[in-house]
Amino acid sequence: MKQRIVLALGGNALGNNLPEQMKAVQSTAGTIADLIAQGHEVVVTHGNGPQVGMIQQAFEVAARHDPKAPHLPMSVCVALSQGYIGYDLQNALREALLARGIHKPVATLVTQVEVDKNDPAFLDPSKPIGGFFSKEEAEALMAKGERLKEDAGRGYRRVVASPKPIDIIEKETVSAMLAAGQVVITVGGGGIPVLREGNHLRGASAVIDKDWASARLAELIDADMLIILTAVEKVAINFGKPDVQWLDQLSVADANSFIAQGQFAKGSMLPKVEAALSFATSMAGRRSLITLLEKAADGIAGKTGTLISL
């Protein structure tokens, strides 16, 4: 049965540096192309953790050597990461589709995501970005109004907020491209965070969780399924313990109960479960799946993964 699917790629689908990325997208593209070959309408989203950090760090190094070198705002760094990840991914996906005899245009869309300036996340930025600074360097930057925090004894790093997504600015463009039979790569790195000021969209010093942004996109384009791809085949409770339990299905009640118990790690599985839960409860008939990239097709068929639905 043909479905409209938002496929949120995990970090393992893109590698940690440019050579790894170029290699990783080849197998990633093959899996996505197989889903399209089955008749599904697929929108691809992805993270940008290592990539946006490398971009930020490169400009930090340049600024240390040349005072005239710009310090790019986070919104611009995210935009740059969307471009260079999309470049590799769209070319690999185009090639994989053509190898299967499928002639579909594939395009990366530079995507902005609206956030609320009053989001509590802006009061306590906690997402570390870029390279490390000594205490003296950090104090000098903080004196200029920048936000830095000590990071696990390794030095100081810039920190930004991670607010929740409100709206996907280019949602109509995504829908139009889908209606034209195209494959869209969008909301890269959670989207470029912007604040709405009348008719103007101003970049925000923030990063948006890509799973939450993917869930919001899935709602707005009326997707049937949100698939969040990660490093494990299924969601587990008591993870890492002798009595670990891998979950085939996760009801809304159980999901909320497990979240309250602290079963899911804040930096990894928790935002995935919360985002999946948000989409699955947004309308009857919508489903979320959390699984491995290579198990996506089996997950859609109900053979594996963790399914979340009303």
Side-chain angles (χ1 to χ4, degrees), residues 15-91:
N16 291 310
N17 53 50
L18 189 56
E20 285 186 15
Q21 177 175 300
M22 294 178 71
K23 183 178 179 180
V25 296
Q26 298 299 321
S27 58
T28 297
T31 301
I32 299 171
D34 286 341
L35 295 179
I36 295 170
Q38 292 173 9
H40 299 300
E41 197 175 53
V42 179
V43 177
V44 182
T45 68
H46 60 81
N48 70 345
Q51 294 85 358
V52 77
M54 286 186 289
I55 291 169
Q56 181 87 356
Q57 193 166 4
F59 279 92
E60 285 176 354
V61 171
R64 287 174 179 176
H65 288 83
D66 181 2
K68 295 180 180 178
H71 170 62
L72 294 188
M74 184 51 56
S75 54
V76 176
C77 292
V78 174
L80 289 171
S81 72
Q82 286 186 354
Y84 101 75
I85 293 170
Y87 164 64
D88 280 342
L89 191 53
Q90 72 185 33
N91 283 341

Side-chain angles (χ1 to χ4, degrees), residues 46-159:
H46 60 81
N48 70 345
Q51 294 85 358
V52 77
M54 286 186 289
I55 291 169
Q56 181 87 356
Q57 193 166 4
F59 279 92
E60 285 176 354
V61 171
R64 287 174 179 176
H65 288 83
D66 181 2
K68 295 180 180 178
H71 170 62
L72 294 188
M74 184 51 56
S75 54
V76 176
C77 292
V78 174
L80 289 171
S81 72
Q82 286 186 354
Y84 101 75
I85 293 170
Y87 164 64
D88 280 342
L89 191 53
Q90 72 185 33
N91 283 341
L93 184 50
R94 174 183 177 275
E95 183 178 344
L97 289 170
L98 289 173
R100 290 160 175 76
I102 300 171
H103 296 261
K104 272 183 173 289
V106 183
T108 298
L109 181 64
V110 175
T111 315
Q112 302 171 99
V113 175
E114 182 184 357
V115 296
D116 183 356
K117 66 179 180 181
N118 296 315
D119 190 301
F122 284 111
L123 297 176
D124 184 25
S126 57
K127 184 75 173 179
I129 293 292
F132 292 88
F133 295 89
S134 67
K135 183 178 180 181
E136 293 74 20
E137 290 172 324
E139 288 175 346
L141 290 170
M142 287 188 283
K144 296 178 181 179
E146 296 196 35
R147 298 282 192 99
L148 291 91
K149 287 187 178 181
E150 201 278 331
D151 189 344
R154 297 178 295 175
Y156 288 76
R157 298 175 74 188
R158 286 188 173 92
V159 290

Side-chain angles (χ1 to χ4, degrees), residues 214-298:
S214 300
R216 188 68 181 120
L217 173 70
E219 288 183 46
L220 293 170
I221 65 171
D222 195 23
D224 301 299
M225 177 175 275
L226 168 67
I227 302 179
I228 296 178
L229 302 173
T230 187
V232 291
E233 189 169 343
K234 298 179 182 181
V235 177
I237 55 173
N238 303 322
F239 183 74
K241 300 178 180 178
D243 58 343
V244 62
Q245 182 180 350
W246 298 97
L247 306 173
D248 297 324
Q249 295 189 342
L250 191 54
S251 70
V252 173
D254 283 345
N256 285 321
S257 176
F258 293 146
I259 289 171
Q261 294 171 26
Q263 285 283 355
F264 308 124
K266 288 184 178 181
S268 55
M269 190 56 73
L270 179 59
K272 299 181 189 304
V273 171
E274 289 179 330
L277 189 61
S278 174
F279 175 70
T281 57
S282 62
M283 184 181 292
R286 291 177 173 173
R287 301 179 300 156
S288 295
L289 175 72
I290 300 176
T291 193
L292 288 165
L293 171 66
E294 57 268 29
K295 296 291 185 178
D298 286 342

